[in-house]
Amino acid sequence: GSDKTAGEMVDYKITGIDPGAGIMEATDRAISDYGLDKWELTTGSGAAMTASLKKAIDKEEPIIITGWTPHWMFTKYDLKYLDDPKGSYGGEEEIHTIGRLGLKEDYPEAYQILQNFKWDEEDMGEVMIAIIDGEDPKVAAENWVKDNEDKVAEWTDGVEKVDGEKFNLAYVAWDSEIASTNVMAKVLEDQGYKVKMSQVEAGPMWTSVADGSSDALLAGWLPVTHKTYAEKYEGKFEDLGTSMTGVKIGLTVPEYMDIDSIEDLKE
Ligand code: PBE
């Protein structure tokens, strides 16, 4: 045990990810909602954050990160979300598939598959774990598709093959979205599309679908995480439905830390 407060232990630092992520906006909101005046949210990337997390865990040192599920970090490490009694992070989120306007007319086959696309935390976890264990994302996705023919058959049920049409999927290099986007790219390729995956920041990802330069994104975390983007581009995209429900974002710490709530950061 230590007499230090959580703030003293981590230098009043929350280890964040890329500045455009919805979880960064939610964390700024938490800092204000809970009066965490001394605290700072650092920016970086998902990969930099998980590297810092690994370093801390290896030495059993304190760390506070911006976490989300599904994510392999909850499988590899013993972690817990800090309670959020003020609801700064929303509650249960859903992952929505977002298409550009006109997609249904231009690519009815892809449109249908994207609308049918539904999987669960365990499915995505398999792909994420394979990747973090060293598999190439493309190969991990191919293997998942091969091992889950029944599920994929439901997404493509009754959909006709196409002949090399170009399809552009925008995504951010978040581990969850690397998994989903590689899987969908493989499914659309098997359908006959020539798929391009464009890795961008969160803002440009939404912009590219809204201005039609991308056909779809799979990373629409709603109702809270990407609320600002969804509102900004209202009427300029089509919500194709949820691919996953019961997902979550929030401040995350190793189990060995002696705090349970964001309110404990005030002390
Ligand atoms: N995430 C993963 C994203 C959405 C998916 C939680 C880091 C975000 O915060 O915008």
Side-chain angles (χ1 to χ4, degrees):
S2 142
D3 298 333
K4 283 190 178 175
T5 65
E8 287 164 349
M9 284 194 289
V10 298
D11 248 339
Y12 296 94
K13 189 177 92 181
I14 296 167
T15 303
I17 57 171
D18 41 296
I23 199 171
M24 298 296 277
E25 189 187 9
T27 302
D28 286 336
R29 187 161 56 234
I31 287 173
S32 126
D33 290 349
Y34 290 89
L36 306 177
D37 311 328
K38 291 199 234 166
W39 287 77
E40 183 204 350
L41 171 62
T42 66
T43 59
S45 67
M49 179 190 77
T50 50
S52 300
L53 177 64
K54 179 179 191 310
K55 242 169 89 185
I57 298 250
D58 285 347
K59 297 192 206 148
E60 235 189 85
E61 281 174 354
I63 186 167
I64 304 180
I65 62 165
T66 53
W68 67 94
T69 30
H71 195 289
W72 59 262
M73 63 185 155
F74 282 89
T75 315
K76 292 273 179 187
Y77 310 125
D78 284 327
L79 303 175
K80 61 186 175 189
Y81 280 111
L82 294 181
D83 289 340
D84 173 25
K86 294 190 196 286
S88 308
Y89 290 90
E92 281 205 357
E93 292 279 279
E94 299 174 334
I95 308 179
H96 290 238
T97 302
I98 307 293
R100 68 164 168 84
L101 296 182
L103 188 64
K104 186 177 185 179
E105 293 71 36
D106 297 340
Y107 296 138
E109 296 83 6
Y111 180 90
Q112 189 62 54
I113 292 170
L114 289 168
Q115 269 198 328
N116 293 345
F117 174 43
K118 271 183 194 8
W119 61 344
D120 61 29
E121 190 158 338
E122 207 179 304
D123 296 320
M124 190 193 256
E126 285 170 20
V127 183
M128 273 192 285
I129 291 282
I131 295 170
I132 196 62
D133 285 346
E135 193 65 89
D136 179 78
K138 210 176 149 160
V139 176
E142 283 166 8
N143 288 340
W144 188 89
V145 166
K146 210 184 303 154
D147 295 343
N148 291 273
E149 278 174 359
D150 296 357
K151 221 160 259 186
V152 174
E154 283 175 30
W155 309 341
T156 58
D157 184 34
V159 181
E160 308 230 326
K161 297 273 187 200
V162 302
D163 190 21
E165 278 91 338
K166 295 202 172 77
F167 199 90
N168 198 350
L169 281 173
Y171 75 109
V172 180
W174 298 315
D175 290 317
S176 38
E177 277 57 36
I178 291 171
S180 58
T181 309
N182 273 279
V183 164
M184 184 48 70
K186 169 67 176 152
V187 170
L188 291 174
E189 269 162 17
D190 288 348
Q191 199 69 21
Y193 288 95
K194 200 167 172 297
V195 179
K196 185 174 153 213
M197 292 176 47
S198 305
Q199 191 203 305
V200 290
E201 297 291 319
M205 173 179 74
W206 275 88
T207 309
S208 72
V209 170
D211 72 16
S213 54
S214 290
D215 295 301
L217 63 90
L218 307 178
W221 282 51
L222 294 165
V224 170
T225 313
H226 288 175
K227 182 172 196 260
T228 303
Y229 292 125
E231 282 179 357
K232 180 170 176 193
Y233 294 115
E234 210 193 318
K236 299 200 168 119
F237 63 84
E238 189 181 344
D239 189 335
L240 304 180
T242 59
S243 62
M244 201 181 293
T245 55
V247 305
K248 184 175 162 66
I249 64 171
L251 289 185
T252 303
V253 301
E255 280 282 1
Y256 55 72
M257 280 181 76
D258 202 11
I259 50 173
D260 293 301
S261 168
I262 303 176
E263 291 194 310
D264 299 335
L265 305 183
K266 266 221 89 158
E267 285 155 26

Short mmCIF file of all heavy atoms in Angstrom, two decimals, residues 205-266:
data_model
loop_
_atom_site.label_atom_id
_atom_site.label_comp_id
_atom_site.label_asym_id
_atom_site.label_seq_id
_atom_site.Cartn_x
_atom_site.Cartn_y
_atom_site.Cartn_z
N MET A 205 -12.15 10.26 -41.43
CA MET A 205 -12.93 9.05 -41.73
C MET A 205 -14.40 9.42 -41.94
O MET A 205 -15.01 9.02 -42.95
CB MET A 205 -12.79 8.05 -40.58
CG MET A 205 -13.70 6.83 -40.70
SD MET A 205 -13.50 5.66 -39.35
CE MET A 205 -14.34 6.51 -38.00
N TRP A 206 -14.96 10.18 -41.02
CA TRP A 206 -16.37 10.60 -41.16
C TRP A 206 -16.54 11.54 -42.34
O TRP A 206 -17.51 11.42 -43.10
CB TRP A 206 -16.85 11.28 -39.87
CG TRP A 206 -17.33 10.29 -38.85
CD1 TRP A 206 -16.56 9.66 -37.90
CD2 TRP A 206 -18.65 9.80 -38.67
NE1 TRP A 206 -17.35 8.82 -37.15
CE2 TRP A 206 -18.63 8.88 -37.59
CE3 TRP A 206 -19.87 10.04 -39.33
CZ2 TRP A 206 -19.78 8.21 -37.16
CZ3 TRP A 206 -21.02 9.37 -38.89
CH2 TRP A 206 -20.96 8.46 -37.82
N THR A 207 -15.59 12.47 -42.52
CA THR A 207 -15.69 13.42 -43.64
C THR A 207 -15.72 12.68 -44.96
O THR A 207 -16.49 13.02 -45.86
CB THR A 207 -14.49 14.39 -43.62
OG1 THR A 207 -14.38 14.96 -42.32
CG2 THR A 207 -14.65 15.49 -44.65
N SER A 208 -14.88 11.65 -45.09
CA SER A 208 -14.76 10.98 -46.39
C SER A 208 -16.05 10.25 -46.75
O SER A 208 -16.40 10.16 -47.93
CB SER A 208 -13.56 10.02 -46.39
OG SER A 208 -13.82 8.89 -45.60
N VAL A 209 -16.77 9.74 -45.76
CA VAL A 209 -18.06 9.11 -46.06
C VAL A 209 -19.10 10.19 -46.37
O VAL A 209 -19.91 10.05 -47.29
CB VAL A 209 -18.51 8.19 -44.91
CG1 VAL A 209 -19.96 7.73 -45.10
CG2 VAL A 209 -17.59 6.97 -44.81
N ALA A 210 -19.05 11.29 -45.61
CA ALA A 210 -20.02 12.37 -45.82
C ALA A 210 -19.84 13.02 -47.19
O ALA A 210 -20.83 13.44 -47.82
CB ALA A 210 -19.88 13.42 -44.72
N ASP A 211 -18.60 13.13 -47.69
CA ASP A 211 -18.41 13.76 -49.01
C ASP A 211 -18.36 12.72 -50.13
O ASP A 211 -18.15 13.07 -51.30
CB ASP A 211 -17.17 14.69 -49.01
CG ASP A 211 -15.84 13.95 -48.97
OD1 ASP A 211 -15.80 12.73 -49.24
OD2 ASP A 211 -14.82 14.60 -48.67
N GLY A 212 -18.54 11.45 -49.78
CA GLY A 212 -18.65 10.40 -50.79
C GLY A 212 -17.33 9.87 -51.30
O GLY A 212 -17.31 9.02 -52.18
N SER A 213 -16.20 10.34 -50.75
CA SER A 213 -14.92 9.82 -51.24
C SER A 213 -14.62 8.43 -50.67
O SER A 213 -13.81 7.69 -51.21
CB SER A 213 -13.77 10.80 -50.99
OG SER A 213 -13.69 11.17 -49.65
N SER A 214 -15.27 8.07 -49.56
CA SER A 214 -15.26 6.67 -49.11
C SER A 214 -16.69 6.14 -49.20
O SER A 214 -17.65 6.90 -49.10
CB SER A 214 -14.80 6.55 -47.66
OG SER A 214 -13.44 6.85 -47.55
N ASP A 215 -16.79 4.82 -49.39
CA ASP A 215 -18.13 4.23 -49.50
C ASP A 215 -18.75 3.93 -48.13
O ASP A 215 -19.96 4.02 -47.97
CB ASP A 215 -18.04 2.94 -50.33
CG ASP A 215 -17.65 3.25 -51.76
OD1 ASP A 215 -18.40 4.01 -52.42
OD2 ASP A 215 -16.59 2.77 -52.22
N ALA A 216 -17.91 3.55 -47.18
CA ALA A 216 -18.46 3.18 -45.86
C ALA A 216 -17.38 3.19 -44.80
O ALA A 216 -16.18 3.14 -45.10
CB ALA A 216 -19.10 1.79 -45.93
N LEU A 217 -17.82 3.27 -43.56
CA LEU A 217 -16.96 3.07 -42.40
C LEU A 217 -17.68 2.11 -41.46
O LEU A 217 -18.91 2.08 -41.42
CB LEU A 217 -16.63 4.40 -41.73
CG LEU A 217 -17.75 5.25 -41.12
CD1 LEU A 217 -17.99 4.88 -39.65
CD2 LEU A 217 -17.42 6.74 -41.21
N LEU A 218 -16.90 1.33 -40.71
CA LEU A 218 -17.50 0.34 -39.81
C LEU A 218 -17.39 0.77 -38.36
O LEU A 218 -17.76 0.03 -37.46
CB LEU A 218 -16.79 -1.01 -39.99
CG LEU A 218 -16.71 -1.55 -41.42
CD1 LEU A 218 -15.94 -2.86 -41.44
CD2 LEU A 218 -18.10 -1.73 -42.00
N ALA A 219 -16.86 1.98 -38.13
CA ALA A 219 -16.46 2.41 -36.78
C ALA A 219 -17.37 3.45 -36.19
O ALA A 219 -16.92 4.28 -35.41
CB ALA A 219 -15.03 2.95 -36.83
N GLY A 220 -18.66 3.44 -36.53
CA GLY A 220 -19.55 4.46 -35.99
C GLY A 220 -20.02 4.10 -34.59
O GLY A 220 -21.06 3.46 -34.42
N TRP A 221 -19.25 4.51 -33.59
CA TRP A 221 -19.60 4.20 -32.19
C TRP A 221 -20.61 5.22 -31.71
O TRP A 221 -20.30 6.40 -31.55
CB TRP A 221 -18.35 4.19 -31.31
CG TRP A 221 -17.53 2.94 -31.43
CD1 TRP A 221 -17.07 2.37 -32.58
CD2 TRP A 221 -17.05 2.12 -30.35
NE1 TRP A 221 -16.34 1.24 -32.29
CE2 TRP A 221 -16.31 1.06 -30.94
CE3 TRP A 221 -17.19 2.16 -28.96
CZ2 TRP A 221 -15.70 0.07 -30.17
CZ3 TRP A 221 -16.57 1.18 -28.20
CH2 TRP A 221 -15.84 0.13 -28.81
N LEU A 222 -21.84 4.74 -31.41
CA LEU A 222 -22.94 5.62 -31.03
C LEU A 222 -23.76 4.97 -29.89
O LEU A 222 -23.64 3.77 -29.70
CB LEU A 222 -23.85 5.84 -32.26
CG LEU A 222 -23.20 6.62 -33.41
CD1 LEU A 222 -24.01 6.48 -34.69
CD2 LEU A 222 -23.03 8.08 -33.03
N PRO A 223 -24.55 5.72 -29.14
CA PRO A 223 -24.95 7.11 -29.42
C PRO A 223 -24.00 8.19 -28.90
O PRO A 223 -24.16 9.34 -29.30
CB PRO A 223 -26.29 7.22 -28.65
CG PRO A 223 -26.16 6.24 -27.53
CD PRO A 223 -25.33 5.10 -28.05
N VAL A 224 -23.01 7.85 -28.08
CA VAL A 224 -22.23 8.91 -27.45
C VAL A 224 -20.87 9.15 -28.11
O VAL A 224 -20.51 10.27 -28.45
CB VAL A 224 -22.04 8.60 -25.93
CG1 VAL A 224 -21.03 9.57 -25.30
CG2 VAL A 224 -23.38 8.71 -25.21
N THR A 225 -20.11 8.06 -28.33
CA THR A 225 -18.69 8.22 -28.69
C THR A 225 -18.49 9.11 -29.93
O THR A 225 -17.64 9.99 -29.93
CB THR A 225 -18.03 6.83 -28.91
OG1 THR A 225 -18.40 5.98 -27.82
CG2 THR A 225 -16.52 6.94 -28.97
N HIS A 226 -19.26 8.87 -30.98
CA HIS A 226 -19.10 9.65 -32.20
C HIS A 226 -20.27 10.60 -32.45
O HIS A 226 -20.55 10.99 -33.60
CB HIS A 226 -18.88 8.73 -33.41
CG HIS A 226 -17.53 8.09 -33.42
ND1 HIS A 226 -17.13 7.16 -34.34
CD2 HIS A 226 -16.46 8.27 -32.60
CE1 HIS A 226 -15.88 6.78 -34.09
NE2 HIS A 226 -15.46 7.43 -33.03
N LYS A 227 -20.93 10.99 -31.37
CA LYS A 227 -22.10 11.86 -31.48
C LYS A 227 -21.76 13.16 -32.23
O LYS A 227 -22.51 13.62 -33.10
CB LYS A 227 -22.58 12.20 -30.07
CG LYS A 227 -23.81 13.07 -30.00
CD LYS A 227 -24.27 13.15 -28.54
CE LYS A 227 -25.68 13.67 -28.43
NZ LYS A 227 -25.76 15.07 -28.07
N THR A 228 -20.62 13.75 -31.89
CA THR A 228 -20.24 15.02 -32.51
C THR A 228 -20.09 14.86 -34.03
O THR A 228 -20.54 15.72 -34.80
CB THR A 228 -18.92 15.54 -31.89
OG1 THR A 228 -19.12 15.66 -30.48
CG2 THR A 228 -18.53 16.90 -32.45
N TYR A 229 -19.49 13.76 -34.45
CA TYR A 229 -19.33 13.53 -35.90
C TYR A 229 -20.69 13.27 -36.56
O TYR A 229 -20.98 13.80 -37.63
CB TYR A 229 -18.39 12.34 -36.15
CG TYR A 229 -16.95 12.59 -35.75
CD1 TYR A 229 -16.29 11.75 -34.87
CD2 TYR A 229 -16.26 13.68 -36.26
CE1 TYR A 229 -14.97 11.97 -34.50
CE2 TYR A 229 -14.94 13.92 -35.90
CZ TYR A 229 -14.30 13.06 -35.02
OH TYR A 229 -12.99 13.30 -34.66
N ALA A 230 -21.50 12.44 -35.91
CA ALA A 230 -22.80 12.10 -36.49
C ALA A 230 -23.68 13.35 -36.63
O ALA A 230 -24.41 13.51 -37.61
CB ALA A 230 -23.50 11.03 -35.65
N GLU A 231 -23.58 14.24 -35.65
CA GLU A 231 -24.38 15.47 -35.72
C GLU A 231 -23.84 16.43 -36.77
O GLU A 231 -24.59 17.06 -37.50
CB GLU A 231 -24.41 16.14 -34.34
CG GLU A 231 -25.39 15.45 -33.42
CD GLU A 231 -25.46 16.05 -32.02
OE1 GLU A 231 -24.70 17.01 -31.73
OE2 GLU A 231 -26.27 15.56 -31.23
N LYS A 232 -22.52 16.51 -36.83
CA LYS A 232 -21.90 17.41 -37.80
C LYS A 232 -22.31 17.04 -39.23
O LYS A 232 -22.51 17.92 -40.07
CB LYS A 232 -20.37 17.33 -37.65
CG LYS A 232 -19.59 18.20 -38.59
CD LYS A 232 -18.11 18.23 -38.21
CE LYS A 232 -17.32 19.04 -39.22
NZ LYS A 232 -15.86 18.82 -39.07
N TYR A 233 -22.41 15.74 -39.50
CA TYR A 233 -22.68 15.30 -40.87
C TYR A 233 -24.10 14.78 -41.06
O TYR A 233 -24.39 14.07 -42.03
CB TYR A 233 -21.66 14.23 -41.28
CG TYR A 233 -20.26 14.79 -41.36
CD1 TYR A 233 -19.26 14.35 -40.50
CD2 TYR A 233 -19.96 15.79 -42.28
CE1 TYR A 233 -17.99 14.88 -40.56
CE2 TYR A 233 -18.68 16.34 -42.34
CZ TYR A 233 -17.70 15.88 -41.48
OH TYR A 233 -16.45 16.41 -41.54
N GLU A 234 -25.00 15.16 -40.16
CA GLU A 234 -26.37 14.68 -40.25
C GLU A 234 -26.95 14.95 -41.64
O GLU A 234 -26.77 16.04 -42.20
CB GLU A 234 -27.23 15.37 -39.19
CG GLU A 234 -28.37 14.48 -38.74
CD GLU A 234 -29.41 15.24 -37.95
OE1 GLU A 234 -29.02 16.06 -37.11
OE2 GLU A 234 -30.59 14.98 -38.20
N GLY A 235 -27.60 13.94 -42.22
CA GLY A 235 -28.18 14.08 -43.54
C GLY A 235 -27.20 13.80 -44.67
O GLY A 235 -27.59 13.75 -45.83
N LYS A 236 -25.94 13.60 -44.32
CA LYS A 236 -24.92 13.37 -45.35
C LYS A 236 -24.38 11.95 -45.34
O LYS A 236 -23.36 11.66 -45.95
CB LYS A 236 -23.76 14.36 -45.16
CG LYS A 236 -24.20 15.81 -45.27
CD LYS A 236 -23.02 16.71 -45.56
CE LYS A 236 -23.49 18.10 -45.96
NZ LYS A 236 -23.00 19.12 -45.03
N PHE A 237 -25.03 11.08 -44.60
CA PHE A 237 -24.63 9.67 -44.59
C PHE A 237 -25.87 8.83 -44.31
O PHE A 237 -26.91 9.36 -43.90
CB PHE A 237 -23.56 9.40 -43.52
CG PHE A 237 -24.02 9.66 -42.10
CD1 PHE A 237 -24.71 8.69 -41.39
CD2 PHE A 237 -23.78 10.89 -41.49
CE1 PHE A 237 -25.15 8.93 -40.09
CE2 PHE A 237 -24.22 11.13 -40.19
CZ PHE A 237 -24.90 10.16 -39.49
N GLU A 238 -25.75 7.54 -44.55
CA GLU A 238 -26.83 6.64 -44.17
C GLU A 238 -26.36 5.65 -43.10
O GLU A 238 -25.32 5.01 -43.28
CB GLU A 238 -27.35 5.87 -45.40
CG GLU A 238 -28.62 5.09 -45.07
CD GLU A 238 -29.17 4.29 -46.24
OE1 GLU A 238 -28.76 4.54 -47.39
OE2 GLU A 238 -30.00 3.40 -45.99
N ASP A 239 -27.10 5.57 -42.01
CA ASP A 239 -26.79 4.61 -40.96
C ASP A 239 -27.30 3.24 -41.42
O ASP A 239 -28.51 3.05 -41.58
CB ASP A 239 -27.47 5.04 -39.65
CG ASP A 239 -27.01 4.21 -38.46
OD1 ASP A 239 -26.58 3.05 -38.67
OD2 ASP A 239 -27.08 4.72 -37.33
N LEU A 240 -26.39 2.31 -41.64
CA LEU A 240 -26.76 1.00 -42.18
C LEU A 240 -27.07 -0.01 -41.08
O LEU A 240 -27.31 -1.18 -41.36
CB LEU A 240 -25.65 0.47 -43.09
CG LEU A 240 -25.26 1.39 -44.25
CD1 LEU A 240 -24.16 0.77 -45.09
CD2 LEU A 240 -26.46 1.72 -45.13
N GLY A 241 -27.04 0.44 -39.83
CA GLY A 241 -27.40 -0.46 -38.73
C GLY A 241 -26.23 -0.81 -37.84
O GLY A 241 -25.10 -0.38 -38.07
N THR A 242 -26.51 -1.61 -36.82
CA THR A 242 -25.47 -1.94 -35.84
C THR A 242 -24.81 -3.27 -36.19
O THR A 242 -25.49 -4.24 -36.53
CB THR A 242 -26.06 -2.08 -34.42
OG1 THR A 242 -27.06 -3.09 -34.44
CG2 THR A 242 -26.68 -0.78 -33.96
N SER A 243 -23.49 -3.29 -36.10
CA SER A 243 -22.77 -4.56 -36.27
C SER A 243 -22.53 -5.22 -34.92
O SER A 243 -22.30 -6.43 -34.85
CB SER A 243 -21.43 -4.33 -36.97
OG SER A 243 -20.60 -3.49 -36.19
N MET A 244 -22.57 -4.41 -33.86
CA MET A 244 -22.34 -4.98 -32.52
C MET A 244 -23.02 -4.11 -31.48
O MET A 244 -23.01 -2.88 -31.61
CB MET A 244 -20.84 -5.07 -32.23
CG MET A 244 -20.49 -6.06 -31.14
SD MET A 244 -18.73 -6.13 -30.79
CE MET A 244 -18.08 -6.81 -32.29
N THR A 245 -23.59 -4.75 -30.46
CA THR A 245 -24.21 -4.00 -29.37
C THR A 245 -23.45 -4.28 -28.08
O THR A 245 -22.61 -5.19 -28.02
CB THR A 245 -25.68 -4.40 -29.19
OG1 THR A 245 -25.74 -5.81 -28.99
CG2 THR A 245 -26.51 -4.03 -30.41
N GLY A 246 -23.74 -3.49 -27.05
CA GLY A 246 -23.14 -3.76 -25.74
C GLY A 246 -21.66 -3.46 -25.65
O GLY A 246 -20.95 -4.06 -24.86
N VAL A 247 -21.18 -2.54 -26.48
CA VAL A 247 -19.77 -2.16 -26.40
C VAL A 247 -19.65 -0.97 -25.44
O VAL A 247 -20.65 -0.41 -25.00
CB VAL A 247 -19.17 -1.86 -27.79
CG1 VAL A 247 -19.39 -3.04 -28.71
CG2 VAL A 247 -19.77 -0.60 -28.41
N LYS A 248 -18.42 -0.59 -25.12
CA LYS A 248 -18.25 0.35 -24.02
C LYS A 248 -16.93 1.10 -24.12
O LYS A 248 -15.95 0.57 -24.63
CB LYS A 248 -18.30 -0.45 -22.71
CG LYS A 248 -18.25 0.35 -21.43
CD LYS A 248 -18.42 -0.61 -20.24
CE LYS A 248 -17.95 0.02 -18.93
NZ LYS A 248 -18.73 1.16 -18.47
N ILE A 249 -16.92 2.33 -23.63
CA ILE A 249 -15.68 3.09 -23.49
C ILE A 249 -15.58 3.59 -22.05
O ILE A 249 -16.61 3.75 -21.38
CB ILE A 249 -15.59 4.30 -24.46
CG1 ILE A 249 -16.69 5.35 -24.17
CG2 ILE A 249 -15.66 3.85 -25.91
CD1 ILE A 249 -16.53 6.66 -24.94
N GLY A 250 -14.36 3.86 -21.58
CA GLY A 250 -14.23 4.41 -20.23
C GLY A 250 -12.80 4.43 -19.75
O GLY A 250 -11.92 3.83 -20.37
N LEU A 251 -12.58 5.11 -18.65
CA LEU A 251 -11.25 5.11 -18.05
C LEU A 251 -10.97 3.73 -17.48
O LEU A 251 -11.83 3.12 -16.85
CB LEU A 251 -11.13 6.18 -16.97
CG LEU A 251 -11.10 7.63 -17.48
CD1 LEU A 251 -10.86 8.59 -16.33
CD2 LEU A 251 -10.04 7.82 -18.56
N THR A 252 -9.77 3.26 -17.72
CA THR A 252 -9.42 1.87 -17.44
C THR A 252 -8.10 1.82 -16.68
O THR A 252 -7.17 2.58 -17.00
CB THR A 252 -9.30 1.11 -18.78
OG1 THR A 252 -10.55 1.23 -19.49
CG2 THR A 252 -8.97 -0.35 -18.57
N VAL A 253 -8.04 0.95 -15.67
CA VAL A 253 -6.81 0.80 -14.88
C VAL A 253 -6.55 -0.69 -14.63
O VAL A 253 -7.47 -1.51 -14.71
CB VAL A 253 -6.92 1.53 -13.51
CG1 VAL A 253 -7.17 3.02 -13.71
CG2 VAL A 253 -7.99 0.91 -12.63
N PRO A 254 -5.29 -1.04 -14.32
CA PRO A 254 -5.01 -2.43 -13.92
C PRO A 254 -5.75 -2.76 -12.62
O PRO A 254 -5.92 -1.88 -11.76
CB PRO A 254 -3.49 -2.44 -13.68
CG PRO A 254 -2.97 -1.24 -14.41
CD PRO A 254 -4.06 -0.22 -14.37
N GLU A 255 -6.16 -4.02 -12.49
CA GLU A 255 -6.88 -4.47 -11.28
C GLU A 255 -6.11 -4.15 -10.01
O GLU A 255 -6.70 -3.92 -8.96
CB GLU A 255 -7.12 -5.99 -11.35
CG GLU A 255 -8.29 -6.42 -12.19
CD GLU A 255 -9.65 -6.23 -11.51
OE1 GLU A 255 -9.68 -5.73 -10.36
OE2 GLU A 255 -10.65 -6.56 -12.15
N TYR A 256 -4.78 -4.20 -10.08
CA TYR A 256 -3.99 -3.99 -8.85
C TYR A 256 -4.03 -2.56 -8.34
O TYR A 256 -3.55 -2.28 -7.26
CB TYR A 256 -2.54 -4.47 -9.03
CG TYR A 256 -1.78 -3.88 -10.21
CD1 TYR A 256 -1.35 -2.55 -10.22
CD2 TYR A 256 -1.49 -4.67 -11.33
CE1 TYR A 256 -0.64 -2.03 -11.30
CE2 TYR A 256 -0.80 -4.16 -12.42
CZ TYR A 256 -0.37 -2.84 -12.40
OH TYR A 256 0.31 -2.32 -13.47
N MET A 257 -4.63 -1.66 -9.09
CA MET A 257 -4.74 -0.29 -8.57
C MET A 257 -5.91 -0.19 -7.60
O MET A 257 -6.97 -0.78 -7.82
CB MET A 257 -4.87 0.72 -9.71
CG MET A 257 -3.52 1.04 -10.34
SD MET A 257 -3.66 2.26 -11.65
CE MET A 257 -3.87 3.76 -10.69
N ASP A 258 -5.68 0.62 -6.58
CA ASP A 258 -6.60 0.67 -5.45
C ASP A 258 -7.68 1.73 -5.62
O ASP A 258 -8.05 2.39 -4.66
CB ASP A 258 -5.73 0.98 -4.21
CG ASP A 258 -6.41 0.54 -2.94
OD1 ASP A 258 -7.42 -0.18 -3.06
OD2 ASP A 258 -5.95 0.95 -1.87
N ILE A 259 -8.18 1.92 -6.82
CA ILE A 259 -9.26 2.88 -7.06
C ILE A 259 -10.34 2.20 -7.87
O ILE A 259 -10.06 1.24 -8.60
CB ILE A 259 -8.77 4.15 -7.81
CG1 ILE A 259 -7.97 3.77 -9.05
CG2 ILE A 259 -7.96 5.05 -6.89
CD1 ILE A 259 -7.62 4.97 -9.93
N ASP A 260 -11.57 2.71 -7.74
CA ASP A 260 -12.70 2.06 -8.43
C ASP A 260 -13.57 3.00 -9.22
O ASP A 260 -14.39 2.57 -10.02
CB ASP A 260 -13.58 1.35 -7.40
CG ASP A 260 -12.85 0.20 -6.75
OD1 ASP A 260 -12.44 -0.72 -7.49
OD2 ASP A 260 -12.66 0.23 -5.52
N SER A 261 -13.42 4.31 -8.96
CA SER A 261 -14.34 5.25 -9.58
C SER A 261 -13.58 6.48 -10.06
O SER A 261 -12.52 6.83 -9.50
CB SER A 261 -15.39 5.68 -8.55
OG SER A 261 -16.13 6.79 -9.02
N ILE A 262 -14.12 7.12 -11.07
CA ILE A 262 -13.49 8.37 -11.53
C ILE A 262 -13.47 9.39 -10.38
O ILE A 262 -12.57 10.21 -10.30
CB ILE A 262 -14.23 8.93 -12.77
CG1 ILE A 262 -14.25 7.88 -13.90
CG2 ILE A 262 -13.55 10.21 -13.28
CD1 ILE A 262 -15.04 8.30 -15.12
N GLU A 263 -14.45 9.25 -9.49
CA GLU A 263 -14.48 10.18 -8.35
C GLU A 263 -13.24 10.05 -7.47
O GLU A 263 -12.83 11.02 -6.84
CB GLU A 263 -15.75 9.95 -7.53
CG GLU A 263 -16.93 10.41 -8.35
CD GLU A 263 -18.23 10.57 -7.57
OE1 GLU A 263 -18.56 9.63 -6.87
OE2 GLU A 263 -18.85 11.63 -7.73
N ASP A 264 -12.63 8.86 -7.48
CA ASP A 264 -11.41 8.66 -6.67
C ASP A 264 -10.23 9.47 -7.20
O ASP A 264 -9.20 9.58 -6.53
CB ASP A 264 -11.01 7.17 -6.65
CG ASP A 264 -12.09 6.29 -6.02
OD1 ASP A 264 -12.88 6.83 -5.21
OD2 ASP A 264 -12.16 5.09 -6.35
N LEU A 265 -10.36 10.00 -8.41
CA LEU A 265 -9.25 10.78 -8.98
C LEU A 265 -9.23 12.20 -8.42
O LEU A 265 -8.26 12.93 -8.60
CB LEU A 265 -9.35 10.85 -10.52
CG LEU A 265 -9.43 9.49 -11.24
CD1 LEU A 265 -9.45 9.70 -12.75
CD2 LEU A 265 -8.27 8.59 -10.84
N LYS A 266 -10.29 12.59 -7.76
CA LYS A 266 -10.37 13.95 -7.20
C LYS A 266 -9.46 14.13 -6.01
O LYS A 266 -8.98 15.21 -5.73
CB LYS A 266 -11.82 14.25 -6.78
CG LYS A 266 -12.59 14.96 -7.86
CD LYS A 266 -13.46 16.06 -7.29
CE LYS A 266 -12.71 17.39 -7.22
NZ LYS A 266 -13.57 18.55 -7.17
#
